[in-house]
Amino acid sequence: MRQTTAAETEPDPAATIVMEEVVRKENLEQALKRVVANKGGPGVDGMHVDELKRYLKTHWPDLKAQLLDGRYKPQPIKAVDIPKPGGGTRRLGIPTVLDRFIQQTILQVMAPVYDPTFSPHSYGFRPGRNAHQAVRQAQAYIQEGYNWVVDIDLEKFFDRVNHDILMGRIARRVRDKRILRLIRLYLQAGAMLNGVVQERYEGTPQGGPLSPLLSNILLDELDKELERRGHNFCRYADDANIYVKSERAGQRVMDSVERFLAELLKLKINREKSAVSEPQKRSFLGFSFTGGEYRKIRFAPKSLQNFKRKVKQITGRSRGITLERIIQELNGFTRGWMGYFRIAETPTVLSDLDCWIRRRLRSAVAKQWFKSCKARFRGLNGLGVDPKQAAITAVTRRGPWAMSNMKAFKLAMPNKFFAERGLLTLSGYGS
């Protein structure tokens, strides 16, 4: 009797990635919940998320038949330009709600097969993994003496993905031609801009549920190559940092990785944004590191610039809204910001930002009182400032920003004043 080999007894991963699994009832219900929870705007057909369930009740039998027969065709994506925090715009491709739902059903079947095989050095868009883990691992490498970083930025990665190379990688595990065809159609879905559909021959549009997994499938080739070479690295989506012990070693790694990406994956490194440098001079996922013996996680300078830019917008002195409304908007922003940046280990920076924010608020109030000396006097005196001190300050010719730093304004609106009105502090976040 012939003995069964181990390879024959192991389940074939490709066997689970079939269209019948995609259209399974439990998979559909889970996908519907996820798409509705993620919300998002309508695509080119104008359908909103809250209309999807009702639409599927009527049209699902026909859609299911199209998927099983390999006849389903995605609609064009909606091109939307969103501003980048540091200037410029990023173009997103928003699929229709229906196509987001179908992509989600495919994702839920593919991800459990692919994710366990991805590199432990990959942190982006994976269950149980996040940017904080990547930053802390980077910190650990630096603490171990890897004091040079090869900071790689892929040039327009999501716009430059080669469809044939990506589909070749997917086809290694996905044997169902219906799924392969549908994924390629999603990659090739034209973008509608100003009523005109522009054809797509490369790239994977940002905005669909499937795009992050597809990018990880492609860049897993890079991860495996770096592992084979024994490098210490962290990758989050298209941001990759490799940690080495000397500048010379870093230059060798940069050159060799650039050749690997160009030859095997047809991807290009953006040399203007990439560099071999000391970690404290670079940023990674919005963070950087201090110098010295213990490399603390700190805010990247650009992250602080973006933070201040947003706070200035919220506390703008010409907005004409109440202080309570400004504080409400500030709290919404700072709560989300600190939710991400809470791992920074530089509390003095947060204390300084708190002081600056309170001065911005005093300045906003000063602007509201700026119309007359009487208004300033009444405002200051009404908040408990001695009449003589209030009168001296009220007649000043200084502008709102300079007034906000005067003694009378600090007496009128101390830290307690803002705390009583619900202002959250960055330095007290989570306490």
Side-chain angles (χ1 to χ4, degrees), residues 78-122:
K78 182 180 180 180
V80 177
D81 292 327
I82 62 171
K84 292 182 179 180
T89 59
R90 174 184 289 111
R91 177 160 293 181
L92 296 183
I94 310 300
T96 64
V97 173
L98 177 60
D99 281 319
R100 295 208 294 270
F101 167 72
I102 294 174
Q103 285 193 36
Q104 182 67 34
T105 63
I106 298 171
L107 172 66
Q108 291 170 183
V109 173
M110 289 180 64
V113 174
Y114 275 95
D115 193 79
T117 69
F118 286 153
S119 167
H121 300 275
S122 167

Side-chain angles (χ1 to χ4, degrees), residues 118-229:
F118 286 153
S119 167
H121 300 275
S122 167
Y123 294 89
F125 309 113
R126 298 181 60 191
R129 303 179 74 79
N130 56 49
H132 291 173
Q133 294 169 339
V135 173
R136 288 196 173 103
Q137 181 59 70
Q139 181 187 34
Y141 288 142
I142 300 167
Q143 294 280 42
E144 291 169 10
Y146 294 89
N147 292 322
W148 288 85
V149 60
V150 183
D151 186 357
I152 294 174
D153 182 278
L154 296 176
E155 187 173 280
K156 297 182 179 180
F157 169 72
F158 287 96
D159 296 329
R160 297 282 174 83
V161 170
N162 182 288
H163 290 175
D164 290 336
I165 292 175
L166 174 57
M167 291 306 303
R169 299 304 185 273
I170 296 172
R172 291 174 181 175
R173 291 190 179 177
V174 180
R175 309 288 170 75
D176 191 320
K177 292 183 178 179
R178 297 166 297 181
I179 293 180
L180 291 173
R181 172 186 173 276
L182 188 52
I183 292 175
R184 185 177 279 276
L185 287 176
Y186 277 125
L187 290 172
Q188 295 175 338
M192 181 173 286
L193 186 64
N194 299 323
V196 179
V197 177
Q198 301 172 343
E199 294 184 348
R200 176 185 294 272
Y201 299 101
E202 62 180 1
T204 172
Q206 298 182 70
L210 203 51
S211 294
L213 176 64
L214 299 184
S215 66
N216 274 335
I217 290 173
L218 184 65
L219 290 176
D220 190 55
E221 295 284 338
L222 172 62
D223 297 343
K224 295 298 194 290
E225 177 64 17
L226 295 177
E227 286 178 348
R228 187 185 67 79
R229 299 181 187 184

Side-chain angles (χ1 to χ4, degrees), residues 14 28 43 62 73 125 130 179 227 252 265 276 289 343 354 394:
L28 300 174
D62 182 52
K73 291 184 179 180
F125 309 113
N130 56 49
I179 293 180
E227 286 178 348
R252 288 199 302 268
L265 302 181
V276 176
F289 304 92
I343 65 170
D354 280 333

Side-chain angles (χ1 to χ4, degrees), residues 240-260:
N241 277 7
I242 307 166
Y243 294 88
V244 296
K245 290 194 172 181
S246 70
E247 183 178 13
R248 185 176 179 183
Q251 292 295 348
R252 288 199 302 268
V253 171
M254 176 70 81
D255 293 340
S256 63
V257 170
E258 184 172 34
R259 288 193 299 272
F260 173 83

